[in-house]
Amino acid sequence: MDALDLARWQFGVITVYHFLFVPITIGMSVLVAGLQTAWVRTGKEQYLRATKFWGKLFLINFAIGVVTGIVQEFQFGMNWSDYSRFVGDIFGAPLAIEGLLAFFLESTFLGLWIFGWDKLPKKLHLATMWLAALGTWLSAYFILAANSWMQHPVGYVLNEARGRAELKSIGAVLTNSTTLVTFPHTITACLLTGGAVLVAVSAWHLKRRNQEDIFRPSLKLGAWVVLIAGVGVLITGDLQARVMTEQQPMKMAAAEALYNTAKPASFSIFTIGSLDGSEEVASVRIPSLLSFMATGSPSGEVEGINNIQQEYEDKYGAGNYKPYVPVTYWSFRLMIGFGGLAMLVALAALWFTRRGRTSAPRWLWMAGILAIGAPLVANSFGWIFTEMGRQPWSVFGVLKTADSVSPSVGAGTVATSFIGLTLLYGVLAVIEVGLFLKYARAGAPEIPPESESEDRPLAFAY
């Protein structure tokens, strides 16, 4: 493989690895804040114990997510210097806002939350957790704004003399129509992921009948969050598909292995294509469903891969503008399939624990434990689909991936950094899993009597 292929592999592996932690952090932040709110409002000790237990798991995940995110950013200057030089003026703006505003917001108030137990008044301490959760959501928004600009570039001008894109309107970048549909889709997926963590850990304890007063309510909370967020994922995903069809028709056509324009267009349940992904061999389809998903009308026209290829050749010049169809097609289905699987497990958990029932089949607990992996896999395939479906562009219609790689970095250098970072992430994975399992198995902490004392006045130690 050459430097371009290795750089793409490195970016893909590290990005997917980092995004294993991000949805858990975003989803669990509001769940922990919600549990603490329940404690402040009711004074019930079980909510306090649940807050401290889930808060500890949240913090472990947050810390590893920060470390992997910092490492990830080195790639832009190391492997993708031509990309950074060409779009840094625009792409860097929302990322700078994320670092200077959102990350400092979440990290500052998370620090106050960690060290403010029994030092800050209850309601003020609760506010720090909600502000930290707000910071995680704002971080997601600004990062998605940067990525959405790559999908649908707006608010810029090309400086031909300097050979780079320059920011014209930060407002246009931050209110990009792609961002406005991508953000709610991502947030609902994160809530689904956070809910699945509650379901999985609670199922592990309930299988052993540990602390049922803590983990049965946690299981039901997580299951309801998975179901409601799952519906949100479906609705926002439908909206995103329509915007994607308008802005990146090749991605939608590749997602459905639709090679020729159809009106109406059928939805592919299963398609077998040629080895190079250039044509369909056989398929099973639902009539008119793709037209409805892509256009909102069962009789709408959806462009095919071959037709769009010809359009792009006329517009951008000779070249191959088709993504690798098998990866795009299957990542789209695996994203939907694993997300739906998590919803089925949550539905089963609610059914078997309804009306205060204390027993459930053993398979339910095993399914609940394994359910933690379903949204993580779905999120990963969602990002693979989003980025692979845009190829051969790094910035759609503006800059190709092949023109974005660092020209002076050879394959040997990229391979060395790839191996080094992979080993580093392997070590981080061992640390993360070890800490997570250690504290997850320990259960909710007992609360000493002094923690139930009256609120202490606000004080700071210098």
Side-chain angles (χ1 to χ4, degrees), residues 120 167 194 199 218 242 370 389 439 447:
L120 298 176
L167 183 64
V199 169
S218 293
R242 297 180 190 185
L370 295 175
Y439 290 106
I447 304 299

Side-chain angles (χ1 to χ4, degrees), residues 123-191:
K123 292 183 179 179
L124 182 59
H125 185 252
L126 172 62
T128 63
M129 188 61 210
W130 278 111
L131 287 169
L134 174 63
T136 66
W137 284 39
L138 287 174
S139 287
Y141 188 88
F142 292 121
I143 292 171
L144 288 170
N147 182 267
S148 295
W149 187 83
M150 297 168 66
Q151 313 290 338
H152 180 229
V154 295
Y156 76 100
V157 293
L158 284 176
N159 188 325
E160 299 291 348
R162 302 182 65 183
R164 63 195 299 260
E166 296 180 350
L167 183 64
K168 182 179 180 181
S169 171
I170 186 62
V173 173
L174 296 180
T175 59
N176 190 340
S177 58
T178 307
T179 308
L180 298 180
V181 294
T182 300
F183 178 71
H185 186 62
T186 303
I187 289 298
T188 49
C190 292
L191 289 171

Side-chain angles (χ1 to χ4, degrees), residues 262-303:
K263 181 182 180 180
S266 57
F267 177 84
S268 168
I269 298 177
F270 183 82
T271 295
I272 299 175
S274 58
L275 291 177
D276 61 358
S278 63
E279 60 181 350
E280 177 185 314
V281 176
S283 65
V284 178
R285 296 179 172 272
I286 300 177
S288 302
L289 181 57
L290 178 57
S291 289
F292 180 77
M293 291 173 58
T295 68
S297 169
S299 59
E301 180 179 277
V302 180
E303 291 185 281

Side-chain angles (χ1 to χ4, degrees), residues 166-391:
E166 296 180 350
L167 183 64
K168 182 179 180 181
S169 171
I170 186 62
V173 173
L174 296 180
T175 59
N176 190 340
S177 58
T178 307
T179 308
L180 298 180
V181 294
T182 300
F183 178 71
H185 186 62
T186 303
I187 289 298
T188 49
C190 292
L191 289 171
L192 188 153
T193 306
V197 172
L198 265 65
V199 169
V201 177
S202 298
W204 189 89
H205 282 281
L206 291 174
K207 182 182 177 183
R208 293 158 177 78
R209 295 191 174 277
N210 295 338
Q211 300 179 333
E212 293 188 357
D213 60 324
I214 302 295
F215 291 107
R216 186 169 293 276
S218 293
L219 177 78
K220 298 187 77 170
L221 172 62
W224 275 115
V225 170
V226 168
L227 279 180
I228 295 172
V231 173
V233 169
L234 292 174
I235 295 172
T236 56
D238 178 65
L239 296 173
Q240 189 175 15
R242 297 180 190 185
V243 172
M244 181 178 66
T245 302
E246 178 184 345
Q247 297 173 353
Q248 297 184 67
M250 181 66 87
K251 184 185 291 186
M252 174 56 81
E256 293 301 323
L258 182 68
Y259 288 91
N260 298 300
T261 299
K263 181 182 180 180
S266 57
F267 177 84
S268 168
I269 298 177
F270 183 82
T271 295
I272 299 175
S274 58
L275 291 177
D276 61 358
S278 63
E279 60 181 350
E280 177 185 314
V281 176
S283 65
V284 178
R285 296 179 172 272
I286 300 177
S288 302
L289 181 57
L290 178 57
S291 289
F292 180 77
M293 291 173 58
T295 68
S297 169
S299 59
E301 180 179 277
V302 180
E303 291 185 281
I305 295 171
N306 296 330
N307 305 85
I308 301 170
Q309 168 66 24
Q310 185 58 55
E311 292 177 13
Y312 285 178
E313 286 185 14
D314 295 339
K315 183 176 182 179
Y316 301 114
N320 182 8
Y321 297 95
K322 302 175 185 178
Y324 187 54
V325 176
V327 170
T328 309
Y329 176 87
W330 286 111
S331 60
F332 184 68
R333 274 145 189 79
L334 291 169
M335 171 187 67
I336 297 172
F338 278 99
L341 183 61
M343 294 177 66
L344 289 176
V345 173
L347 185 62
L350 289 173
W351 175 258
F352 284 105
T353 58
R354 71 191 188 281
R355 299 177 183 175
R357 297 189 179 190
T358 58
S359 62
R362 290 182 61 84
W363 66 261
L364 175 65
W365 305 133
M366 288 304 302
I369 294 169
L370 295 175
I372 191 173
L376 297 178
V377 174
N379 293 331
S380 297
F381 279 114
W383 272 113
I384 290 171
F385 167 71
T386 298
E387 300 306 301
M388 292 289 287
R390 190 181 66 245
Q391 298 304 315

Side-chain angles (χ1 to χ4, degrees), residues 28-44:
M28 287 193 69
S29 65
V30 293
L31 296 180
V32 172
L35 287 167
Q36 186 172 353
T37 301
W39 170 61
V40 170
R41 289 178 61 87
T42 66
K44 293 182 178 179

